Amino acid sequence: MEPLERLEKLLDKEQFEKIKAIDNPELHAFLAEWIGWLEPERVFVCTDSEEDEQYVRWKALYYGEEKMLETPNHTVHYDNYYDQARDKANTATLLPGGKKLPYINTKDRDEGLKEIRELMKGIMKGKELFVCFFVLGPKNSIFTIPAVQLTDSAYVAHSEFILYRKGYEEFKRLGRQARFFRFVHSAGELDERKTSKNLDKRRIYIDLQDETVYSVNTQYGGNTIGLKKLAFRLTIKRAVEEGWLSEHMFLMRVNGPHGRKTYFTGAYPSMCGKTSTAMIPWENIVGDDLSFILPVNGVARGANVEKGVFGIIQGVNPEDDPIIWQVLHSPVEIIFSNVLVKDGKPYWNDMGIEIPDEGENHSGKWWRGKKDEEGNEIPPSHKNARFTVSLEHFPNADLEALENPCGVEIGGMIFGGRDADTWPPVREAFNWEHGVITMGASLESETTAATLGKEGVRAFNPMAILDFMSVHLGDYLRNYLEFGRKLKKAPKIFAVNYFLRDNGQWLNHKLDKAVWLKWMELRVHNDVDAIETPIGYIPRYRDLVKLFKDVLGKDYTREDYEKQFMIRVPELLAKIERIEGIYREKVGDVPEELFRVLEEERKRLLEAKEKYGDYISPFALEGS
């Protein structure tokens, strides 16, 4: 039986007509196979209409996956107490023949597909299946990748309507031309709180060959929202094959002198200042998480993959995050997940206001001092509690750039890590190759006591992308280097570090990053000179004095400057040693340029040490 004939039997007339309107036999075959396999009681096909989106919102409430809060348009969703984050152990990239890749959790493709099919057979009996169409990147553009999501979770479908651009009309427009991603998700059997029950059978498998992701027995957004970090693995592979970049980067506009607009991307591991940088109130956000960067006529142009924010809410407070705080207290459409609710109001950890002593949270009825089965005290909200909201509601969003089908020209790329003793607060690479290798590919981040129990352990995380890598790291870096060579004008590359310390004292204030951004913007346009050091260019003291006064209204002392921009030769040499060791011993098969560029940096540092000693004042280098 032909796929369309099968679909006609599986769907009611209205839903069948919606699918029939898309001229794509490959899509029809995929839907016929999986709707038949999952055996839902009913199927709802989402077009781009407001009515269909409203239907999904209503079903999230009707099925009890979300509950209304006091503020209009605000809802709360809870995941199972033990389903609160990405399940790294049960997330695997499926590779033929059981092939292995460094740093990637892989599984034999045939084995993985067999297992997932068995887990999903008839899993939607008695449930409603939502068929949703979206696109990654702006519509009808050089960045557009169509995607279809099958899910029995109205919460997942609702989240995607907030986070992604609707794609039904794009599927109709593209017809047989659509090279689309596929996502199949089931929350599985639900408990009385409407959360996934069979977590021992939770699996998230990424099939690179068919560009399909399967996710089962989980509701947490990072495991289920197909177009988020699951699609990211697919886009990384596609980008490497096609010669562009799919990156774990924010995209923001820094406003320069005389109304000049300069766009930056930035990659930072978790807890390193990525969101706070992208959300500086007087600059403009285009995206907070994922960027596509394509070479267009010799220029790197970037776009936000998404149109919304799936943000961590812990620590969001009115002083440090005025814009996010304002959005979260506006009557715009927001899904709060895994927060504390009392009298219809959401509360979260470290929000800067008093939190009630009881209420409902991800553990059910909650009171201060409540412990879980392992004897751990349960905080008011989970540390990975989230908010899901569209970027159009942010007063500082650059909406024109967000939807520009040609994207925006990237002036600079920033790599930032958490580092107490090595990198200065900001520096510029000598060139693309130097930046990619000594900043992006050498990115490390110290663990924090709050997250991993042991402070100060340096975690290797090139381009802040290691958790999502789907190709060999060597191939990924080769593509990065090659990408820069294709450009007539490559973006300048910068490295930042907001976490330098001296005798346990922070050397930076939280808002100093706003000054480093303004300096980077000036450097993109060669408006200020810089001091050449063995590790790149650093700012001159006189330029920073002016910027601190102009941007923050603060005085900036010579002593602060000297401590911050000291070239710490022993620590820098030790870092080169570490990074080189990782690439030789753990990664292998990396571009030869990597070792050459690291060796050149080592030589420059040793020569400088010979002349100036272990710790080199920026003033000494400026005068040289």
Side-chain angles (χ1 to χ4, degrees):
M1 196 187 294
E2 286 296 306
L4 265 181
E5 290 174 58
R6 288 180 65 199
L7 284 168
E8 196 164 10
K9 285 188 161 50
L10 289 165
L11 306 178
D12 69 35
K13 189 169 183 344
E14 186 187 351
Q15 306 309 318
F16 173 69
E17 290 300 328
K18 293 177 185 175
I19 294 298
K20 191 181 167 192
I22 300 171
D23 178 21
N24 190 313
E26 201 183 329
L27 173 71
H28 301 156
F30 167 72
L31 292 175
E33 178 189 359
W34 277 99
I35 293 170
W37 190 260
L38 297 163
E39 299 178 55
E41 186 177 306
R42 68 184 70 84
V43 177
F44 184 80
V45 177
C46 298
T47 68
D48 295 349
S49 75
E50 180 55 40
E51 292 77 17
D52 286 1
E53 186 177 355
Q54 189 55 46
Y55 178 85
V56 167
R57 286 191 198 108
W58 171 68
K59 279 300 176 88
L61 294 167
Y62 177 76
Y63 289 132
E65 289 189 272
E66 294 177 37
K67 292 178 186 168
M68 285 196 277
L69 295 173
E70 183 185 57
T71 303
N73 303 311
H74 289 194
T75 58
V76 64
H77 163 81
Y78 292 112
D79 297 305
N80 185 299
Y81 185 77
Y82 296 101
D83 189 25
Q84 296 284 326
R86 279 185 287 113
D87 181 358
K88 293 185 187 182
N90 289 305
T91 299
T93 298
L94 304 182
L95 296 177
K99 192 179 165 193
K100 301 279 185 225
L101 289 174
Y103 292 100
I104 299 174
N105 192 16
T106 59
K107 190 173 183 69
D108 177 73
R109 182 171 183 264
D110 291 343
E111 257 179 56
L113 290 177
K114 182 172 180 285
E115 183 189 11
I116 207 81
R117 288 185 77 86
E118 284 168 7
L119 284 171
M120 286 187 146
K121 176 67 179 157
I123 200 166
M124 292 189 189
K125 281 177 184 167
K127 296 172 91 174
E128 181 168 14
L129 166 62
F130 300 92
V131 179
C132 306
F133 299 94
F134 299 101
V135 296
L136 297 167
K139 290 182 191 181
N140 195 8
S141 83
I142 52 171
F143 301 97
T144 306
I145 298 178
V148 59
Q149 170 87 58
L150 308 190
T151 181
D152 56 14
S153 167
Y155 156 71
V156 167
H158 182 198
S159 298
E160 290 186 325
F161 272 110
I162 294 172
L163 292 169
Y164 301 98
R165 301 157 179 101
K166 296 174 186 177
Y168 178 77
E169 291 298 328
E170 280 289 278
F171 269 84
K172 278 173 67 176
R173 182 183 70 81
L174 290 163
R176 297 177 181 224
Q177 258 44 68
R179 277 187 66 207
F180 59 95
F181 290 160
R182 305 157 173 83
F183 305 97
V184 184
H185 165 252
S186 173
E189 193 184 341
L190 303 181
D191 59 22
E192 64 286 349
R193 294 194 75 215
K194 308 297 181 190
T195 71
S196 294
K197 196 172 174 179
N198 302 316
L199 299 183
D200 59 319
K201 297 185 179 75
R202 178 172 55 193
R203 300 289 184 274
I204 303 99
Y205 288 168
I206 298 118
D207 180 14
L208 298 176
Q209 196 167 305
D210 280 350
E211 296 190 314
T212 304
V213 180
Y214 306 94
S215 166
V216 67
N217 294 313
T218 175
Q219 271 173 319
Y220 168 68
N223 297 326
T224 60
I225 297 170
L227 284 85
K228 191 80 184 162
K229 293 298 181 13
L230 303 175
F232 190 30
R233 272 83 159 196
L234 303 180
T235 60
I236 289 169
K237 178 174 184 281
R238 201 185 270 195
V240 167
E241 286 172 352
E242 296 177 354
W244 50 280
L245 305 179
S246 172
E247 295 302 306
H248 192 202
M249 289 178 161
F250 66 58
L251 177 56
M252 71 180 295
R253 185 177 101 204
V254 179
N255 299 303
H258 314 297
R260 184 170 66 201
K261 300 173 181 180
T262 307
Y263 292 91
F264 284 82
T265 58
Y268 300 57
S270 182
M271 305 297 289
C272 291
K274 184 179 183 185
T275 303
S276 60
T277 303
M279 291 303 303
I280 287 172
W282 47 85
E283 311 297 4
N284 297 87
I285 186 166
V286 184
D288 77 314
D289 196 28
L290 300 171
S291 295
F292 288 161
I293 305 166
L294 270 65
V296 182
N297 299 327
V299 172
R301 297 193 72 86
N304 181 5
V305 177
E306 310 170 293
K307 72 161 185 82
V309 177
F310 178 61
I312 293 175
I313 203 167
Q314 175 155 312
V316 170
N317 68 78
E319 190 187 344
D320 297 327
D321 313 284
I323 289 175
I324 299 176
W325 184 268
Q326 179 189 330
V327 172
L328 294 180
H329 291 82
S330 308
V332 299
E333 185 180 10
I334 303 174
I335 306 171
F336 293 87
S337 61
N338 306 313
V339 296
L340 175 68
V341 173
K342 170 74 171 166
D343 298 332
K345 289 193 174 74
Y347 296 89
W348 54 90
N349 308 337
D350 308 324
M351 68 188 292
I353 65 170
E354 202 175 329
I355 294 176
D357 290 327
E358 43 108 33
E360 185 183 5
N361 75 355
H362 55 292
S363 70
K365 187 166 168 45
W366 176 85
W367 56 91
R368 204 170 285 283
K370 182 182 180 183
K371 290 188 164 67
D372 63 18
E373 288 170 13
E374 288 80 36
N376 303 310
E377 191 164 316
I378 301 169
S381 71
H382 193 273
K383 68 182 180 187
N384 196 29
R386 299 275 174 158
F387 63 92
T388 306
V389 65
S390 174
L391 268 168
E392 67 185 320
H393 303 307
F394 284 71
N396 65 330
D398 185 339
L399 297 177
E400 191 184 331
L402 179 66
E403 296 306 341
N404 189 335
C406 300
V408 293
E409 182 177 338
I410 305 300
M413 273 186 174
I414 308 167
F415 294 104
R418 178 180 279 268
D419 166 8
D421 63 9
T422 308
W423 279 6
V426 64
R427 77 187 193 281
E428 177 194 329
F430 294 128
N431 51 45
W432 178 262
E433 189 181 60
H434 179 247
V436 167
I437 290 165
T438 69
M439 295 174 181
S442 301
L443 201 56
E444 294 176 300
S445 183
E446 291 177 355
T447 55
T448 61
T451 52
L452 290 171
K454 192 173 180 190
E455 202 164 354
V457 177
R458 296 177 206 266
F460 172 66
N461 197 349
M463 280 77 173
I465 210 171
L466 206 55
D467 278 358
F468 314 106
M469 195 56 78
S470 56
V471 297
H472 192 286
L473 191 48
D475 294 335
Y476 169 80
L477 292 174
R478 259 184 284 278
N479 179 53
Y480 230 108
L481 292 165
E482 195 52 48
F483 180 85
R485 293 184 195 117
K486 283 187 260 193
L487 303 174
K488 291 182 209 143
K489 188 171 100 177
K492 288 200 173 193
I493 296 182
F494 300 90
V496 296
N497 172 27
Y498 308 149
F499 300 95
L500 259 185
R501 280 184 279 182
D502 184 34
N503 293 324
Q505 298 296 306
W506 297 112
L507 292 180
N508 292 256
H509 183 270
K510 271 184 181 176
L511 260 181
D512 289 358
K513 61 175 79 78
V515 173
W516 315 142
L517 267 183
K518 291 293 195 199
W519 179 78
M520 289 185 264
E521 197 278 341
L522 295 173
R523 284 295 298 165
V524 166
H525 302 282
N526 298 312
D527 285 355
V528 289
D529 291 334
I531 300 167
E532 188 175 329
T533 80
I535 57 168
Y537 300 108
I538 61 170
R540 297 180 306 180
Y541 174 61
R542 62 178 174 275
D543 294 326
L544 291 184
V545 168
K546 183 176 185 316
L547 285 170
F548 267 93
K549 187 59 83 180
D550 292 350
V551 178
L552 300 177
K554 279 171 58 171
D555 291 328
Y556 183 58
T557 67
R558 285 175 68 88
E559 186 191 10
D560 282 348
Y561 171 75
E562 192 162 29
K563 275 186 184 169
Q564 289 173 341
F565 289 92
M566 182 81 66
I567 303 301
R568 298 162 170 79
V569 177
E571 287 81 1
L572 287 159
L573 288 171
K575 181 179 177 74
I576 290 171
E577 201 75 26
R578 273 195 312 278
I579 297 300
E580 198 176 53
I582 288 167
Y583 280 106
R584 285 198 193 282
E585 294 153 30
K586 294 188 178 173
V587 180
D589 190 24
V590 294
E592 267 312 307
E593 298 100 298
L594 185 129
F595 300 115
R596 175 176 56 75
V597 170
L598 289 176
E599 184 53 41
E600 286 166 0
E601 185 130 301
R602 180 189 278 120
K603 270 182 76 173
R604 288 192 300 271
L605 283 162
L606 289 169
E607 283 167 15
K609 176 182 170 165
E610 192 71 29
K611 191 170 177 184
Y612 301 105
D614 279 346
Y615 296 93
I616 307 169
S617 163
F619 291 116
L621 292 170
E622 189 174 25
S624 65

